Amino acid sequence: MSADEKRRFPRMPIFSAALITHQGQGWLSEVRDLSQGGACLARPHRWSSVQSTECRIYFIFDQETVVAVDARCVREGSEDLGFEFDGGQESEVETLLYESR
C-alpha cells in the first residue's frame, strides 16, 4: 500500500502563496498541496522549528481572496512542511478547498 492510499483525505496539488504566523513571527511560503485535513507548504528559508505548535496560515489566492486557517506543524522536511488543520473550522476549510479549485 502506498503512502497516498493511507491518507484519510485525498491531496490536491495546487500552487498558491501562504503566510505562516506563530507568536508574532511570520514566514512567506508556497502551498504544494492541500486536503480537507491539512496542507504541505514549502519550507521557508529562515524557518524556526514550531513542530506541534499552533500556527495560523493565511492562504493567499489574490489580493481579495485570503483564507485563514489554524493549524499545527506535524512534519518538518528539508524542503517542505506538513500542517494538520485544527478541528472546528469546517467552514474555513470548505472555503479554502473551494477557492483552490
Coordinates of all heavy atoms in Angstrom, one line a residue:
M1 N 0.8 -1.2 0.0 CA 0.0 0.0 0.0 C 0.9 1.2 0.0 O 1.8 1.4 0.8 CB -0.9 0.0 1.2 CG -1.8 1.1 1.3 SD -2.9 1.1 2.8 CE -4.2 0.1 2.2
S2 N 0.6 2.2 -0.9 CA 1.5 3.4 -1.0 C 1.0 4.4 0.1 O 0.0 4.3 0.7 CB 1.3 4.0 -2.4 OG 0.1 4.6 -2.5
A3 N 1.9 5.4 0.3 CA 1.6 6.4 1.3 C 0.3 7.1 0.9 O -0.5 7.5 1.8 CB 2.8 7.4 1.4
D4 N 0.0 7.4 -0.4 CA -1.2 8.1 -0.8 C -2.4 7.3 -0.4 O -3.4 7.9 0.0 CB -1.2 8.3 -2.3 CG -0.1 9.4 -2.7 OD1 0.3 10.1 -1.8 OD2 0.2 9.4 -3.8
E5 N -2.4 6.0 -0.4 CA -3.5 5.2 -0.1 C -3.8 5.1 1.4 O -4.9 4.8 1.8 CB -3.3 3.7 -0.6 CG -3.2 3.6 -2.1 CD -2.8 2.3 -2.6 OE1 -2.6 1.4 -1.7 OE2 -2.6 2.1 -3.8
K6 N -2.9 5.5 2.2 CA -3.0 5.5 3.7 C -3.6 6.8 4.1 O -4.1 6.9 5.3 CB -1.7 5.3 4.4 CG -1.1 3.9 4.1 CD 0.2 3.8 4.8 CE 0.8 2.4 4.5 NZ 2.1 2.3 5.1
R7 N -3.7 7.8 3.3 CA -4.2 9.1 3.7 C -5.7 9.1 3.9 O -6.4 8.5 3.2 CB -3.8 10.2 2.7 CG -2.3 10.4 2.5 CD -2.1 11.6 1.6 NE -0.7 11.7 1.2 CZ 0.3 12.2 1.8 NH1 0.0 12.7 3.0 NH2 1.5 12.2 1.4
R8 N -6.1 9.8 5.0 CA -7.5 9.9 5.2 C -8.3 10.8 4.2 O -9.4 10.5 3.9 CB -7.7 10.5 6.6 CG -8.7 9.7 7.4 CD -8.7 10.1 8.9 NE -9.3 11.4 9.0 CZ -9.3 12.0 10.2 NH1 -8.7 11.5 11.3 NH2 -9.8 13.2 10.3
F9 N -7.6 11.8 3.8 CA -8.2 12.8 2.9 C -7.3 12.9 1.6 O -6.1 13.0 1.7 CB -8.3 14.2 3.5 CG -9.1 14.2 4.8 CD1 -8.4 14.4 6.0 CD2 -10.4 14.1 4.7 CE1 -9.1 14.4 7.2 CE2 -11.2 14.1 5.9 CZ -10.5 14.3 7.1
P10 N -7.9 12.8 0.4 CA -7.1 12.9 -0.8 C -6.5 14.3 -0.9 O -7.0 15.3 -0.5 CB -8.1 12.7 -1.9 CG -9.5 12.9 -1.3 CD -9.3 12.7 0.2
R11 N -5.2 14.3 -1.4 CA -4.5 15.6 -1.6 C -4.7 16.1 -3.0 O -4.9 15.4 -4.0 CB -3.0 15.3 -1.5 CG -2.7 14.7 -0.1 CD -1.7 15.6 0.6 NE -1.6 15.2 2.0 CZ -1.3 16.1 2.9 NH1 -0.9 17.3 2.6 NH2 -1.3 15.7 4.1
M12 N -4.8 17.5 -3.1 CA -5.0 18.2 -4.3 C -3.8 19.1 -4.6 O -3.5 20.0 -3.7 CB -6.3 19.0 -4.2 CG -6.6 19.8 -5.4 SD -8.2 20.6 -5.2 CE -8.3 21.2 -3.5
P13 N -3.0 18.8 -5.6 CA -1.9 19.7 -5.9 C -2.3 21.1 -6.3 O -3.2 21.2 -7.1 CB -1.1 19.0 -7.0 CG -2.1 18.1 -7.6 CD -3.1 17.8 -6.6
I14 N -1.8 22.1 -5.7 CA -2.1 23.5 -6.0 C -0.8 24.3 -5.9 O 0.2 23.9 -5.4 CB -3.2 24.1 -5.2 CG1 -2.7 24.3 -3.7 CG2 -4.5 23.3 -5.2 CD1 -3.7 25.3 -3.0
F15 N -0.9 25.5 -6.5 CA 0.2 26.5 -6.3 C -0.4 27.8 -5.9 O -1.2 28.4 -6.6 CB 1.0 26.6 -7.6 CG 2.2 27.6 -7.4 CD1 3.3 27.2 -6.8 CD2 2.1 28.9 -7.8 CE1 4.4 28.0 -6.6 CE2 3.1 29.8 -7.6 CZ 4.3 29.3 -7.0
S16 N -0.1 28.2 -4.7 CA -0.6 29.4 -4.1 C 0.4 29.9 -3.1 O 1.2 29.2 -2.6 CB -1.9 29.1 -3.4 OG -2.4 30.2 -2.7
A17 N 0.3 31.2 -2.8 CA 1.2 31.8 -1.7 C 0.5 31.6 -0.4 O -0.7 31.4 -0.3 CB 1.3 33.3 -2.0
A18 N 1.3 31.6 0.7 CA 0.8 31.4 2.0 C 1.7 32.2 3.0 O 2.9 32.4 2.7 CB 0.8 30.0 2.4
L19 N 1.1 32.6 4.1 CA 1.8 33.3 5.2 C 1.6 32.4 6.4 O 0.4 32.3 6.8 CB 1.4 34.7 5.4 CG 1.9 35.4 6.6 CD1 3.4 35.6 6.5 CD2 1.2 36.8 6.8
I20 N 2.7 31.9 7.0 CA 2.6 31.1 8.2 C 2.9 32.1 9.4 O 4.0 32.7 9.3 CB 3.6 30.0 8.2 CG1 3.4 29.1 7.0 CG2 3.4 29.1 9.5 CD1 4.6 28.2 6.7
T21 N 2.1 32.1 10.4 CA 2.4 33.0 11.5 C 2.4 32.2 12.8 O 1.6 31.2 13.0 CB 1.4 34.2 11.7 OG1 0.1 33.6 11.9 CG2 1.3 35.0 10.4
H22 N 3.2 32.6 13.8 CA 3.3 31.9 15.1 C 4.0 32.9 16.0 O 5.1 33.4 15.8 CB 4.2 30.7 15.0 CG 4.5 30.0 16.3 ND1 3.5 29.4 17.0 CD2 5.6 30.0 17.0 CE1 4.1 28.9 18.1 NE2 5.4 29.3 18.1
Q23 N 3.3 33.3 17.1 CA 3.8 34.2 18.2 C 4.5 35.4 17.6 O 5.6 35.7 18.0 CB 4.7 33.4 19.1 CG 4.0 32.3 19.9 CD 4.9 31.6 20.9 OE1 6.1 31.7 20.8 NE2 4.3 30.9 21.8
G24 N 3.8 36.1 16.7 CA 4.3 37.4 16.2 C 5.4 37.2 15.1 O 5.8 38.3 14.6
Q25 N 5.7 36.0 14.8 CA 6.7 35.8 13.6 C 5.9 35.4 12.4 O 4.8 34.9 12.5 CB 7.7 34.7 14.0 CG 8.6 35.1 15.1 CD 9.6 34.0 15.3 OE1 9.3 32.8 15.3 NE2 10.9 34.3 15.4
G26 N 6.4 35.7 11.2 CA 5.8 35.3 10.0 C 6.7 34.8 9.0 O 7.9 35.3 8.9
W27 N 6.3 33.9 8.1 CA 7.1 33.3 7.1 C 6.3 33.2 5.8 O 5.2 32.6 5.8 CB 7.7 31.9 7.4 CG 8.5 31.9 8.7 CD1 9.8 32.0 8.8 CD2 8.0 31.7 10.0 NE1 10.2 31.9 10.1 CE2 9.2 31.7 10.8 CE3 6.8 31.4 10.6 CZ2 9.1 31.5 12.2 CZ3 6.7 31.2 11.9 CH2 7.8 31.3 12.7
L28 N 6.8 33.7 4.7 CA 6.1 33.6 3.4 C 6.5 32.2 2.9 O 7.6 31.7 3.0 CB 6.5 34.6 2.4 CG 5.9 36.0 2.7 CD1 6.5 37.0 1.7 CD2 4.4 36.0 2.6
S29 N 5.6 31.5 2.2 CA 5.8 30.2 1.7 C 4.9 30.0 0.4 O 4.2 30.9 0.0 CB 5.5 29.2 2.7 OG 5.8 27.9 2.3
E30 N 5.0 28.8 -0.1 CA 4.2 28.4 -1.3 C 3.5 27.1 -0.9 O 4.1 26.2 -0.2 CB 5.1 28.1 -2.5 CG 5.9 29.3 -3.0 CD 6.9 28.9 -4.0 OE1 7.1 27.7 -4.2 OE2 7.5 29.8 -4.6
V31 N 2.2 27.0 -1.3 CA 1.4 25.8 -1.0 C 1.7 24.8 -2.0 O 1.7 25.1 -3.2 CB -0.1 26.1 -1.0 CG1 -0.9 24.9 -0.6 CG2 -0.4 27.3 0.0
R32 N 2.1 23.6 -1.6 CA 2.4 22.5 -2.6 C 1.1 21.6 -2.8 O 0.9 21.2 -3.9 CB 3.5 21.6 -2.0 CG 4.8 22.4 -1.8 CD 5.8 22.1 -2.9 NE 6.9 23.0 -2.8 CZ 8.1 22.7 -2.3 NH1 8.2 21.5 -1.7 NH2 9.1 23.5 -2.3
D33 N 0.4 21.3 -1.7 CA -0.8 20.5 -1.9 C -1.7 20.8 -0.7 O -1.3 21.3 0.3 CB -0.6 19.0 -2.2 CG 0.0 18.3 -1.0 OD1 -0.4 18.4 0.1 OD2 1.0 17.5 -1.3
L34 N -2.9 20.3 -0.9 CA -4.0 20.7 0.1 C -5.0 19.5 0.2 O -5.2 18.8 -0.8 CB -4.7 21.9 -0.4 CG -5.7 22.7 0.4 CD1 -5.0 23.2 1.6 CD2 -6.2 23.9 -0.5
S35 N -5.5 19.3 1.4 CA -6.5 18.3 1.6 C -7.5 18.9 2.6 O -7.3 19.9 3.2 CB -6.0 17.0 2.0 OG -5.6 17.0 3.4
Q36 N -8.6 18.1 2.9 CA -9.5 18.6 3.9 C -8.9 18.6 5.3 O -9.3 19.3 6.2 CB -10.7 17.6 3.9 CG -11.9 18.1 4.7 CD -13.1 17.3 4.5 OE1 -13.2 16.4 3.6 NE2 -14.1 17.5 5.4
G37 N -7.8 17.8 5.5 CA -7.2 17.7 6.8 C -6.0 18.5 7.0 O -5.5 18.6 8.2
G38 N -5.4 19.0 6.0 CA -4.1 19.7 6.1 C -3.5 20.2 4.8 O -4.1 20.1 3.8
A39 N -2.2 20.6 4.9 CA -1.6 21.1 3.7 C -0.1 20.9 3.8 O 0.5 20.8 4.9 CB -1.8 22.6 3.6
C40 N 0.6 20.8 2.6 CA 2.0 20.8 2.5 C 2.5 22.1 2.0 O 2.0 22.5 0.9 CB 2.4 19.6 1.6 SG 4.2 19.4 1.4
L41 N 3.4 22.8 2.7 CA 3.9 24.0 2.2 C 5.4 23.9 2.1 O 6.1 23.1 2.7 CB 3.6 25.1 3.2 CG 2.2 25.8 3.2 CD1 1.2 24.8 3.6 CD2 2.2 27.0 4.1
A42 N 6.0 24.7 1.2 CA 7.4 24.8 1.0 C 8.1 25.3 2.3 O 7.5 26.2 3.0 CB 7.8 25.7 -0.2
R43 N 9.2 24.8 2.7 CA 9.9 25.2 3.9 C 10.5 26.6 3.7 O 11.4 26.7 2.8 CB 10.9 24.2 4.3 CG 11.6 24.5 5.6 CD 12.7 23.5 5.9 NE 13.3 23.8 7.2 CZ 13.2 23.1 8.3 NH1 12.4 22.0 8.3 NH2 13.8 23.5 9.4
P44 N 10.1 27.6 4.4 CA 10.7 28.9 4.3 C 12.2 28.9 4.6 O 12.7 28.1 5.4 CB 10.0 29.8 5.3 CG 8.7 29.1 5.5 CD 9.0 27.6 5.4
H45 N 13.0 29.8 4.0 CA 14.4 29.8 4.2 C 14.8 30.0 5.7 O 15.7 29.4 6.2 CB 15.1 30.9 3.4 CG 15.0 30.6 1.9 ND1 15.7 29.6 1.3 CD2 14.2 31.2 0.9 CE1 15.4 29.6 0.0 NE2 14.5 30.5 -0.2
R46 N 14.2 30.9 6.4 CA 14.5 31.1 7.8 C 13.5 30.6 8.8 O 13.2 31.2 9.8 CB 14.7 32.6 8.0 CG 15.8 33.2 7.1 CD 16.0 34.6 7.4 NE 17.1 35.1 6.5 CZ 17.8 36.1 6.7 NH1 17.6 36.9 7.7 NH2 18.8 36.4 5.9
W47 N 13.1 29.4 8.5 CA 12.1 28.7 9.3 C 12.6 28.4 10.7 O 13.7 27.8 10.8 CB 11.6 27.5 8.6 CG 10.6 26.6 9.4 CD1 10.9 25.4 10.0 CD2 9.3 26.9 9.7 NE1 9.8 25.0 10.7 CE2 8.8 25.8 10.5 CE3 8.4 27.9 9.4 CZ2 7.5 25.8 10.9 CZ3 7.1 27.9 9.8 CH2 6.6 26.8 10.6
S48 N 11.9 28.7 11.7 CA 12.2 28.3 13.1 C 11.3 27.2 13.4 O 10.1 27.3 13.3 CB 12.0 29.5 14.1 OG 12.8 30.6 13.8
S49 N 11.8 26.1 13.9 CA 11.0 24.9 14.2 C 9.9 25.3 15.2 O 10.1 25.8 16.3 CB 11.9 23.9 14.8 OG 11.2 22.7 15.1
V50 N 8.7 25.0 14.8 CA 7.5 25.1 15.7 C 6.7 23.9 15.6 O 5.4 23.9 15.8 CB 6.7 26.4 15.2 CG1 7.4 27.7 15.4 CG2 6.1 26.2 13.8
Q51 N 7.3 22.7 15.5 CA 6.6 21.5 15.3 C 5.6 21.3 16.5 O 6.0 21.5 17.6 CB 7.5 20.3 15.2 CG 6.8 19.0 14.8 CD 7.8 18.0 14.3 OE1 9.0 18.2 14.2 NE2 7.3 16.9 13.8
S52 N 4.4 20.8 16.2 CA 3.4 20.5 17.1 C 2.9 21.8 17.9 O 2.3 21.7 18.9 CB 3.8 19.4 18.1 OG 4.0 18.2 17.4
T53 N 3.2 22.9 17.3 CA 2.8 24.2 18.0 C 1.7 24.8 17.0 O 1.8 24.8 15.8 CB 4.0 25.1 18.2 OG1 4.9 24.4 18.9 CG2 3.6 26.4 18.8
E54 N 0.8 25.5 17.7 CA -0.3 26.2 16.9 C 0.3 27.3 16.0 O 1.1 28.1 16.5 CB -1.3 26.7 17.9 CG -2.0 25.7 18.7 CD -2.9 24.8 17.8 OE1 -3.6 25.2 16.9 OE2 -2.8 23.5 18.1
C55 N -0.2 27.3 14.8 CA 0.1 28.4 13.8 C -1.2 28.8 13.2 O -2.2 28.1 13.3 CB 1.1 27.8 12.7 SG 2.7 27.3 13.3
R56 N -1.1 29.9 12.5 CA -2.2 30.4 11.7 C -1.6 30.5 10.3 O -0.5 31.1 10.1 CB -2.8 31.7 12.1 CG -3.9 32.2 11.2 CD -4.7 33.2 11.8 NE -5.8 32.5 12.6 CZ -7.0 32.9 12.8 NH1 -7.3 34.1 12.4 NH2 -7.8 32.2 13.5
I57 N -2.3 29.9 9.3 CA -1.8 30.0 7.9 C -2.8 30.8 7.1 O -4.0 30.5 7.2 CB -1.6 28.6 7.3 CG1 -0.7 27.7 8.1 CG2 -1.1 28.7 5.9 CD1 -0.7 26.3 7.7
Y58 N -2.3 31.8 6.4 CA -3.1 32.6 5.6 C -2.8 32.2 4.1 O -1.7 32.4 3.6 CB -2.8 34.1 5.7 CG -3.1 34.7 7.1 CD1 -2.2 34.6 8.1 CD2 -4.3 35.2 7.3 CE1 -2.5 35.1 9.4 CE2 -4.6 35.7 8.6 CZ -3.7 35.6 9.6 OH -4.0 36.1 10.9
F59 N -3.8 31.5 3.5 CA -3.7 31.1 2.1 C -4.1 32.3 1.2 O -5.2 32.8 1.3 CB -4.6 29.9 1.9 CG -4.1 28.7 2.7 CD1 -4.6 28.4 3.9 CD2 -3.2 27.8 2.1 CE1 -4.2 27.3 4.7 CE2 -2.8 26.6 2.8 CZ -3.3 26.4 4.1
I60 N -3.2 32.7 0.4 CA -3.4 33.9 -0.4 C -3.6 33.6 -1.9 O -2.6 33.1 -2.5 CB -2.1 34.9 -0.3 CG1 -1.9 35.1 1.2 CG2 -2.3 36.2 -1.0 CD1 -0.5 35.7 1.5
F61 N -4.8 33.7 -2.3 CA -5.1 33.4 -3.7 C -5.0 34.6 -4.6 O -4.6 34.5 -5.8 CB -6.5 32.7 -3.8 CG -6.6 31.4 -3.1 CD1 -7.1 31.4 -1.8 CD2 -6.1 30.3 -3.6 CE1 -7.2 30.2 -1.1 CE2 -6.1 29.1 -3.0 CZ -6.7 29.0 -1.7
D62 N -5.4 35.7 -4.2 CA -5.2 37.0 -4.9 C -5.4 38.1 -3.8 O -5.6 37.8 -2.7 CB -6.2 37.1 -6.1 CG -7.6 37.0 -5.7 OD1 -8.0 37.6 -4.7 OD2 -8.4 36.4 -6.4
Q63 N -5.4 39.4 -4.3 CA -5.5 40.5 -3.3 C -6.8 40.5 -2.5 O -6.8 41.0 -1.4 CB -5.3 41.8 -4.1 CG -4.0 42.0 -4.6 CD -3.9 43.4 -5.3 OE1 -4.9 44.0 -5.8 NE2 -2.6 43.9 -5.4
E64 N -7.8 39.9 -3.1 CA -9.1 40.0 -2.4 C -9.5 38.6 -1.7 O -10.5 38.6 -1.0 CB -10.2 40.4 -3.4 CG -10.0 41.8 -3.9 CD -11.0 42.1 -5.0 OE1 -11.9 41.3 -5.3 OE2 -10.9 43.2 -5.5
T65 N -8.7 37.6 -2.0 CA -9.1 36.3 -1.5 C -8.0 35.7 -0.6 O -7.0 35.2 -1.2 CB -9.4 35.3 -2.7 OG1 -10.3 35.9 -3.6 CG2 -10.0 34.0 -2.2
V66 N -8.2 35.8 0.7 CA -7.3 35.3 1.6 C -8.1 34.5 2.7 O -9.1 35.0 3.2 CB -6.5 36.4 2.4 CG1 -5.5 35.8 3.4 CG2 -5.7 37.2 1.4
V67 N -7.7 33.2 2.9 CA -8.4 32.4 3.8 C -7.4 32.0 5.0 O -6.3 31.4 4.7 CB -8.9 31.1 3.1 CG1 -9.6 30.2 4.1 CG2 -9.8 31.4 1.9
A68 N -7.8 32.3 6.2 CA -7.0 31.9 7.4 C -7.5 30.7 8.0 O -8.7 30.5 8.2 CB -7.1 33.1 8.4
V69 N -6.5 29.8 8.3 CA -6.9 28.5 9.0 C -5.9 28.3 10.1 O -4.7 28.5 9.9 CB -6.8 27.3 8.0 CG1 -7.1 26.0 8.7 CG2 -7.8 27.6 6.8
D70 N -6.3 27.8 11.3 CA -5.5 27.5 12.4 C -5.0 26.0 12.1 O -5.8 25.2 11.7 CB -6.2 27.6 13.7 CG -6.5 29.0 14.1 OD1 -5.7 29.9 13.8 OD2 -7.6 29.2 14.6
A71 N -3.7 25.8 12.4 CA -3.1 24.5 12.1 C -1.9 24.3 13.0 O -1.5 25.2 13.7 CB -2.6 24.4 10.6
R72 N -1.4 23.1 13.0 CA -0.1 22.8 13.7 C 0.8 22.1 12.8 O 0.4 21.2 12.0 CB -0.4 22.0 15.0 CG -1.0 20.7 14.8 CD -1.4 20.1 16.2 NE -1.9 18.8 16.0 CZ -1.3 17.6 16.0 NH1 0.0 17.7 16.3 NH2 -1.9 16.5 15.9
C73 N 2.1 22.4 12.9 CA 3.1 21.7 12.1 C 3.3 20.3 12.6 O 3.7 20.2 13.8 CB 4.4 22.5 12.1 SG 5.6 21.9 11.0
V74 N 3.1 19.3 11.8 CA 3.3 17.9 12.2 C 4.4 17.2 11.6 O 4.8 16.1 11.9 CB 2.0 17.1 12.0 CG1 0.9 17.6 12.9 CG2 1.5 17.1 10.6
R75 N 5.0 17.9 10.5 CA 6.2 17.3 9.9 C 7.0 18.4 9.3 O 6.6 19.3 8.7 CB 5.7 16.4 8.7 CG 6.8 15.6 8.0 CD 6.3 14.8 6.8 NE 5.5 15.6 5.8 CZ 6.0 16.5 5.0 NH1 7.4 16.6 4.9 NH2 5.3 17.1 4.1
E76 N 8.3 18.2 9.5 CA 9.3 19.2 9.0 C 10.3 18.4 8.2 O 11.1 17.6 8.7 CB 10.1 19.9 10.2 CG 9.2 20.8 10.9 CD 10.0 21.7 11.9 OE1 11.2 21.9 11.7 OE2 9.4 22.1 12.9
G77 N 10.3 18.6 6.9 CA 11.3 18.0 6.0 C 12.3 19.1 5.6 O 12.2 20.3 5.9
S78 N 13.3 18.7 4.8 CA 14.3 19.6 4.4 C 13.8 20.6 3.3 O 14.3 21.7 3.2 CB 15.5 18.9 3.8 OG 15.2 18.1 2.7
E79 N 12.7 20.2 2.6 CA 12.2 21.0 1.5 C 10.8 21.5 1.8 O 10.3 22.4 1.1 CB 12.2 20.2 0.2 CG 13.5 19.8 -0.3 CD 14.4 21.0 -0.8 OE1 13.8 21.8 -1.4 OE2 15.6 21.0 -0.5
D80 N 10.0 20.8 2.7 CA 8.7 21.2 2.9 C 8.2 20.9 4.3 O 8.9 20.3 5.1 CB 7.7 20.5 1.9 CG 7.9 19.0 1.9 OD1 8.3 18.4 2.9 OD2 7.6 18.4 0.9
L81 N 7.0 21.4 4.7 CA 6.4 21.3 6.0 C 5.0 20.7 5.8 O 4.3 21.1 4.9 CB 6.3 22.7 6.7 CG 7.6 23.5 6.8 CD1 7.3 24.9 7.2 CD2 8.6 22.8 7.8
G82 N 4.6 19.9 6.8 CA 3.3 19.3 6.8 C 2.5 19.9 7.9 O 3.0 19.9 9.1
F83 N 1.3 20.4 7.6 CA 0.4 21.0 8.6 C -0.9 20.2 8.7 O -1.4 19.8 7.7 CB 0.1 22.5 8.3 CG 1.3 23.4 8.5 CD1 2.2 23.6 7.4 CD2 1.5 24.0 9.7 CE1 3.3 24.5 7.6 CE2 2.6 24.8 9.9 CZ 3.5 25.1 8.8
E84 N -1.4 20.1 9.9 CA -2.7 19.5 10.1 C -3.6 20.6 10.6 O -3.3 21.3 11.6 CB -2.6 18.4 11.2 CG -3.9 17.7 11.5 CD -3.7 16.6 12.5 OE1 -2.9 16.8 13.5 OE2 -4.4 15.6 12.4
F85 N -4.8 20.7 10.0 CA -5.7 21.8 10.4 C -6.4 21.4 11.7 O -6.7 20.2 12.0 CB -6.8 21.9 9.3 CG -6.3 22.4 8.0 CD1 -7.0 21.9 6.8 CD2 -5.2 23.2 7.8 CE1 -6.5 22.3 5.6 CE2 -4.8 23.6 6.6 CZ -5.4 23.2 5.4
D86 N -6.6 22.4 12.5 CA -7.3 22.2 13.8 C -8.8 21.9 13.5 O -9.3 22.4 12.5 CB -7.2 23.5 14.7 CG -5.8 23.7 15.2 OD1 -4.9 22.8 15.0 OD2 -5.6 24.8 15.7
G87 N -9.4 21.2 14.4 CA -10.8 20.9 14.3 C -11.7 22.1 14.5 O -11.2 23.1 15.0
G88 N -12.9 22.0 14.2 CA -13.9 23.1 14.4 C -13.8 24.2 13.4 O -14.3 25.3 13.7
Q89 N -13.2 24.0 12.3 CA -13.0 25.1 11.3 C -13.6 24.6 9.9 O -13.1 24.9 8.9 CB -11.6 25.4 11.0 CG -10.8 25.8 12.3 CD -9.4 26.1 11.9 OE1 -9.0 27.3 11.7 NE2 -8.5 25.1 11.8
E90 N -14.6 23.8 10.0 CA -15.1 23.2 8.7 C -15.5 24.2 7.7 O -15.2 24.1 6.5 CB -16.4 22.3 9.0 CG -16.0 21.0 9.8 CD -15.8 21.2 11.3 OE1 -16.1 22.3 11.8 OE2 -15.2 20.3 11.9
S91 N -16.1 25.3 8.1 CA -16.4 26.4 7.2 C -15.2 27.0 6.5 O -15.2 27.2 5.3 CB -17.2 27.5 7.9 OG -17.5 28.6 7.0
E92 N -14.2 27.3 7.2 CA -12.9 27.8 6.7 C -12.3 26.9 5.7 O -11.8 27.3 4.6 CB -12.0 28.2 7.8 CG -12.4 29.4 8.6 CD -13.3 29.0 9.8 OE1 -13.8 27.9 9.9 OE2 -13.5 29.9 10.7
V93 N -12.2 25.6 6.1 CA -11.6 24.6 5.2 C -12.4 24.4 4.0 O -11.8 24.3 2.9 CB -11.4 23.2 6.0 CG1 -11.0 22.1 5.1 CG2 -10.5 23.4 7.2
E94 N -13.7 24.4 4.0 CA -14.5 24.3 2.8 C -14.3 25.5 1.9 O -14.2 25.3 0.7 CB -16.0 24.2 3.2 CG -16.4 22.9 3.7 CD -16.2 21.8 2.7 OE1 -16.5 21.9 1.5 OE2 -15.7 20.7 3.1
T95 N -14.2 26.7 2.5 CA -13.9 27.9 1.7 C -12.5 27.7 1.0 O -12.3 28.1 -0.1 CB -13.9 29.2 2.6 OG1 -15.3 29.3 3.1 CG2 -13.6 30.4 1.8
L96 N -11.6 27.3 1.8 CA -10.2 27.1 1.3 C -10.2 26.1 0.1 O -9.6 26.3 -0.9 CB -9.3 26.6 2.4 CG -7.9 26.2 2.1 CD1 -7.1 27.4 1.5 CD2 -7.2 25.7 3.3
L97 N -10.9 25.0 0.2 CA -10.9 24.0 -0.8 C -11.7 24.5 -2.1 O -11.3 24.3 -3.2 CB -11.6 22.7 -0.3 CG -10.8 21.9 0.7 CD1 -11.7 20.8 1.3 CD2 -9.5 21.4 0.2
Y98 N -12.7 25.3 -1.8 CA -13.5 25.9 -2.9 C -12.6 26.9 -3.7 O -12.5 26.8 -4.9 CB -14.7 26.6 -2.4 CG -15.5 27.3 -3.5 CD1 -16.3 26.7 -4.4 CD2 -15.3 28.7 -3.6 CE1 -17.0 27.3 -5.4 CE2 -15.9 29.4 -4.6 CZ -16.8 28.7 -5.5 OH -17.4 29.4 -6.5
E99 N -11.9 27.7 -3.0 CA -11.0 28.7 -3.6 C -9.8 28.1 -4.4 O -9.3 28.7 -5.3 CB -10.6 29.8 -2.6 CG -11.6 30.6 -2.0 CD -12.3 31.5 -3.1 OE1 -11.8 31.8 -4.2 OE2 -13.5 31.9 -2.8
S100 N -9.4 27.0 -3.9 CA -8.2 26.3 -4.6 C -8.6 25.7 -5.9 O -7.7 25.3 -6.6 CB -7.6 25.3 -3.6 OG -8.5 24.3 -3.3
R101 N -9.8 25.5 -6.2 CA -10.2 24.9 -7.5 C -10.2 25.8 -8.6 O -10.1 26.5 -9.2 CB -11.6 24.3 -7.3 CG -11.7 23.2 -6.3 CD -13.0 22.6 -6.2 NE -13.0 21.6 -5.2 CZ -13.9 21.5 -4.2 NH1 -14.9 22.2 -4.2 NH2 -13.7 20.6 -3.3

